[in-house]
């Protein structure tokens, strides 16, 4: 039992920057090994390397004592390594049976053997207790939790020595989770090694034999699960308690007293649950939390990109309760939002810097009849992009040809030109280089100095600790804590980040 | 920091580029003019009659209705829609003119607005249904293709209504001038369309919506009114095409313009308009119209049979799009 089934030694991964600095992990046969860490600690990257979805840049792996270095997912699967990722990879119009056996459908003379397919699907579904699901149902008609279970069943039906589960219970009901756990117990007794990632620390206590904590791309500790409490786990993830080092590089606060935006009881279930917060003039409010805790959804609900189901917004001194049903209404009331996904909804990648920059300010650059003053547009765009130190050859260049950091500057420039009272930033520095990041921090500072209110969602806690005046923590859709500079610590913020999951975790266990 | 990299300069220099000369802005059309020139040359060599005033007059006579319809189609394609109903809407509008003038005894000046209104109405319907019900415009306008055609038959009792000289002047070359009022009108619409597309807020929004509607929404712009307007404009221009065609035939023919939507789409695509939205130019579309018309007229003059004509026209469309795609990829690789 003590011999390693899967072992990684000094695994390194470089993207634009190094994200894994030498990770050691060993998983034994017949154990559930929890993998813990804060956002960006490297859990997903490590799992992707093990599952053959990406290749490591250094280090070694062994599987059952032999060197293991999968070229791709196929090879990993043939070695008996299966991964169930958080996002669903099912084809919703195909039947459950077809999805279960998608790349190995039973065939006779090239024609799908429906009978065999149905029989084998039945066995696979019954095994994980999905007796009530008809194998012929279109997968898209199932609930998300059931789809997740089908996905797990699909991984399990193959020859499986190591199973990687990334947040498998995120979409499951308590009942479904319990069913999953029983089944994982059985796999354990069959000698399968499992890597288990979850925000729900009580689950980890209930399930795992041992756990490994990653911190900043390094292995921080590997301990037996019964030796450490959920609080202890959080502490391992943060490192030392009350780390003061980040406070040194803080930006000066410009927070005033009068309120610019008050959010009261905003809800859009299940991702945003009764959230209240306030942003004052000149204030930078950070929103921390784990990935998937509802922070993006909160910003979208505030901005009117998604319709909130309940709650009100109050702007400035105005006592009128509002709720925006379209971003245009939010913009008209002095809000701006720099979105997380530049490609999807932030920029018009194939169009020029100029068109992107002036898109929401065209009324300023046109006559009453809508005739554009292109010269004014061009000079304003050039001035603004230059002040943001944007690297480009021409403002007629397609914005998609720029680097991530420069794209982000264009996305921000668009709202600077338009101007607003409250700026919502969703992961403003994701995927951008250090120089661009520093430039954005300076911009946050200058906006605050001019009395703007900023709401900054970031998965990089250091960033929030450095730039923000206050930090509100979201966990499982709820606000689980708000800290100001005098009261915050990494430890407290991390604990709050897990708090929402712990309550629901107890229900499950 | 900036000075280290020679390849990248501050954006200031580019300000000059935006206020560039007419010459620079006409560069994209050079290729199309060249292809057009080659076509004319080939037909000129193959048929002694091709390079004549008669041919030119015949071309100028045929172009206007396809041109105005293609202008509307370009705008629709730019917002990532499609309008399959334009041929039928043209016939319906023409039927309205015929019915009002022949049966109702209306004068031309009263019948034309009614006809344009009919066209714009059909377009509005297309736009409202496809935008608010989120039904692909392909389906909605396919429905309208049948509805409008049926309407045309109903109004005319399935018979061609002869109107005569009171409408003919629109399509007849003006005394002293070589071209007809319809031709001038079509050219004017091309110019206005191009200005609308490149020089106005409206046009800017169309390109943005066609490129990424979600990003436009997140920029705080309601795109629905713009998308609907585009379909209304397409319908209106189809109505105008109806007037032009009526004048050319001296009558309202409910069978007119069957398949014209496909010629219009072909003209747009030859001109480099993307069916995926976000890219297109009215001037280029006009060149596309010229190419298709020259090809058809030329092939007819050299005595090509109808099957041959179709095969060649189809091939030219495919080759034109292929060349455009190659040019674009080449441009991307050498950016």
């Amino acid at each position: 039992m003590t011999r390693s089934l899967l072992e990684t030694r000094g695994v390194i991964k470089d993207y634009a920057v190094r994200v894994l600095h030498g990770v050691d992990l060993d998983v034994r046969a017949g154990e559930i090994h929890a993998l813990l860490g804060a956002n960006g600690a490297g859990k997903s990257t490590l799992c992707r390397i093990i599952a053959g979805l990406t290749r490591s840049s250094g280090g070694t792996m062994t599987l059952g004592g032999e060197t293991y270095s999968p070229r791709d997912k196929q090879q990993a699967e043939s070695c008996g390594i299966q991964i169930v990722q958080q996002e669903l990879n099912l084809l919703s119009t195909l039947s459950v049976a077809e999805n279960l056996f998608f790349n190995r459908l039973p065939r006779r003379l090239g024609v799908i053997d429906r009978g065999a397919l149905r029989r084998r699907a039945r066995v696979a579904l019954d095994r994980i207790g999905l007796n009530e699901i008809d194998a012929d149902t279109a997968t898209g008609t199932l609930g998300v939790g059931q789809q997740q279970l089908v996905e797990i069943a699909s991984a399990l039906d193959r020859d499986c020595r190591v199973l990687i589960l990334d947040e498998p219970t995120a979409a499951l009901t308590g009942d479904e989770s319990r069913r999953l756990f029983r089944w994982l117990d059985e796999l354990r007794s069959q000698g399968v090694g499992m890597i288990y990632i979850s925000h729900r620390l009580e689950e980890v206590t209930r399930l795992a034999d041992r756990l490994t904590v990653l911190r900043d791309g390094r292995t921080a500790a590997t301990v037996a699960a019964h030796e450490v409490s959920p609080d202890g786990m959080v502490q391992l993830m943060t490192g030392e308690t009350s780390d003061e080092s980040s406070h040194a590089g803080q930006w000066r606060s410009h927070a005033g007293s009068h309120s610019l935006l008050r959010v009261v009881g905003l809800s859009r279930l299940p991702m945003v649950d009764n959230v209240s917060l306030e942003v004052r003039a000149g204030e930078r409010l950070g929103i921390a939390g784990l990935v998937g805790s509802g922070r993006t959804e909160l910003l979208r609900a505030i901005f009117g990109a998604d319709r909130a189901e309940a709650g009100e917004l109050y702007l400035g001194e105005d006592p009128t309760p509002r709720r925006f049903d379209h971003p245009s209404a939010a913009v008209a009331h002095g809000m701006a939002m720099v979105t997380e996904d530049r490609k999807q909804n932030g920029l018009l990648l194939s169009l020029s810097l100029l068109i992107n920059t002036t898109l929401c300010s065209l009324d300023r650059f046109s006559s009453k009849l809508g005739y554009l003053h292109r010269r004014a547009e061009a000079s304003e765009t050039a001035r603004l992009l230059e002040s943001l130190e944007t690297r480009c050859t021409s403002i007629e260049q397609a914005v998609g040809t720029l680097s991530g950091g420069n794209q982000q500057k264009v996305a921000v420039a668009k709202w600077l030109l338009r101007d607003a009272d409250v700026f919502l930033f969703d992961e403003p520095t994701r995927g951008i280089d250090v120089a661009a990041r520093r430039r954005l921090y300076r911009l946050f500072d200058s906006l605050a100095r001019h009395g703007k209110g900023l709401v900054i969602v970031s998965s990089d806690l250091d960033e929030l600790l450095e730039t923000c005046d206050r930090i509100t923590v979201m966990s499982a859709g709820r606000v689980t804590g708000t800290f100001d500079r005098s009261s915050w610590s990494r430890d407290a913020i991390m604990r709050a980040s897990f708090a929402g999951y712990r309550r629901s975790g107890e229900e499950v266990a | 920091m900036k000075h280290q990299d020679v390849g990248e300069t501050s954006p200031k220099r580019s300000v000059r580029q935006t206020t560039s000369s007419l010459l620079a802005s006409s560069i994209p059309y050079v290729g199309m003019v060249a292809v057009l020139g080659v076509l004319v040359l080939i037909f000129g060599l193959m048929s002694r009659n091709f390079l004549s005033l008669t041919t030119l007059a015949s071309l100028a006579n045929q172009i206007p209705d396809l041109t105005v319809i293609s202008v509307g189609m370009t705008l629709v394609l730019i917002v990532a829609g499609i309008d399959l109903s334009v041929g039928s809407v043209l016939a319906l509008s023409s039927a309205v003119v015929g019915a009002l003038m022949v049966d109702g005894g209306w004068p031309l000046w009263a019948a034309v607005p009614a006809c344009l209104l009919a066209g714009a109405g059909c377009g509005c319907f297309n736009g409202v249904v496809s935008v608010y019900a989120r039904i692909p415009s392909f389906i909605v306008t396919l429905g309208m293709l049948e509805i409008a055609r049926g309407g045309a038959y109903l109004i005319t009792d399935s018979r061609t209504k002869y109107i005569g000289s009171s409408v003919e002047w629109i399509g007849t070359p003006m005394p002293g001038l070589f071209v007809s009022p319809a031709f001038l009108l079509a050219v004017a619409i091309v110019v206005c369309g191009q200005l609308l597309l490149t020089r106005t807020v409206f046009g800017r929004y169309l390109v943005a919506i066609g490129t990424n509607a979600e990003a436009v929404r997140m920029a705080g712009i309601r795109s629905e009114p713009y998308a609907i307007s585009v379909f209304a404009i397409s319908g209106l221009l189809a109505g105008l095409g109806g007037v032009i065609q009526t004048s050319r035939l001296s009558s309202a023919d409910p069978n007119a313009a069957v398949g014209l939507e496909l010629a219009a789409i072909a003209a747009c695509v030859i001109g480099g308009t993307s069916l995926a939205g976000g890219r297109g130019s009215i001037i280029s579309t006009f060149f596309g119209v010229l190419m298709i018309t020259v090809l058809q007229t030329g092939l007819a003059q050299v005595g090509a049979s109808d099957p041959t004509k179709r095969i060649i026209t189809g091939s030219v469309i495919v080759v034109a799009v292929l060349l455009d795609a190659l040019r674009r990829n080449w441009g991307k690789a050498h950016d």
Side-chain angles (χ1 to χ4, degrees), chain A residues 178-301:
Chain A
R178 271 190 290 277
R179 193 185 287 176
L180 174 69
F181 297 156
R182 273 202 300 280
W183 182 44
L184 294 181
D185 280 334
E186 195 187 314
L187 285 173
R188 170 158 48 193
S189 65
Q190 290 169 13
V192 175
M194 281 164 276
I195 300 175
Y196 192 89
I197 299 181
S198 179
H199 287 160
R200 301 169 196 270
L201 302 180
E202 269 75 11
E203 262 177 40
V204 171
T205 307
R206 144 97 173 70
L207 275 179
D209 300 293
R210 292 189 303 153
L211 55 92
T212 292
V213 176
L214 299 185
R215 196 162 60 220
D216 303 328
R218 291 182 179 84
T219 305
T222 297
V223 291
H226 61 82
E227 282 173 7
V228 50
S229 67
D231 277 342
M233 294 180 203
V234 172
Q235 217 159 72
L236 283 170
M237 286 184 249
T238 21
E240 323 77 71
T241 23
S242 69
D243 173 11
E244 301 297 324
S245 63
S246 65
H247 292 226
Q250 256 171 13
W251 293 81
R252 206 158 62 83
S253 174
H254 306 291
S257 55
H258 86 261
S259 163
L260 284 181
L261 168 70
R262 215 149 48 81
V263 177
V264 181
L266 203 68
S267 285
R268 183 181 162 83
L269 296 170
M271 297 307 283
V272 181
D273 186 359
N274 193 22
V275 170
S276 301
L277 51 83
E278 183 177 21
V279 193
R280 292 191 284 265
E283 184 179 43
R284 280 156 285 180
L285 173 70
I287 300 196
L290 301 171
V291 171
S293 58
R295 299 167 302 167
T296 295
E297 290 78 2
L298 170 65
L299 291 195
R300 286 180 61 91

Side-chain angles (χ1 to χ4, degrees), chain A residues 18-38:
Chain A
R18 180 159 289 191
V19 294
L20 294 184
H21 299 262
V23 174
D24 300 338
L25 173 74
D26 77 290
V27 181
R28 295 167 188 164
E31 84 161 342
I32 297 180
H33 195 119
L35 192 57
L36 301 178

Side-chain angles (χ1 to χ4, degrees), chain A residues 327-396:
Chain A
S328 64
V331 171
H333 285 93
M335 315 259 304
M337 176 168 171
V338 178
T339 59
E340 173 182 12
D341 192 333
R342 293 184 287 269
K343 196 176 285 184
Q344 208 79 57
N345 53 24
L347 289 170
L348 306 162
L349 289 184
S350 61
L351 301 182
S352 70
L353 271 60
L354 175 118
I355 291 181
N356 274 283
T357 306
T358 59
L359 182 64
C360 40
S361 318
L362 287 180
D363 47 345
R364 271 171 56 190
F365 297 108
S366 58
S367 68
K368 273 214 182 73
L369 287 172
Y371 197 83
L372 290 165
H373 307 311
R374 299 204 297 179
R375 211 166 296 201
E377 259 190 288
S379 65
E380 267 297 281
T381 303
R383 184 191 62 75
L384 192 58
L385 292 182
E386 199 163 10
S387 77
L388 289 172
E389 292 152 27
T390 314
R391 298 275 203 101
C392 56
T393 49
S394 145
I395 55 172
E396 293 298 332

Side-chain angles (χ1 to χ4, degrees), chain A residues 374-375, chain B residues 14-25 199:
Chain A
R374 299 204 297 179
R375 211 166 296 201
Chain B
S14 57
V15 177
R16 259 176 259 134
Q17 288 198 1
T18 51
T19 54
S20 58
S21 64
L22 204 67
L23 193 74
S25 63
R199 300 293 173 101

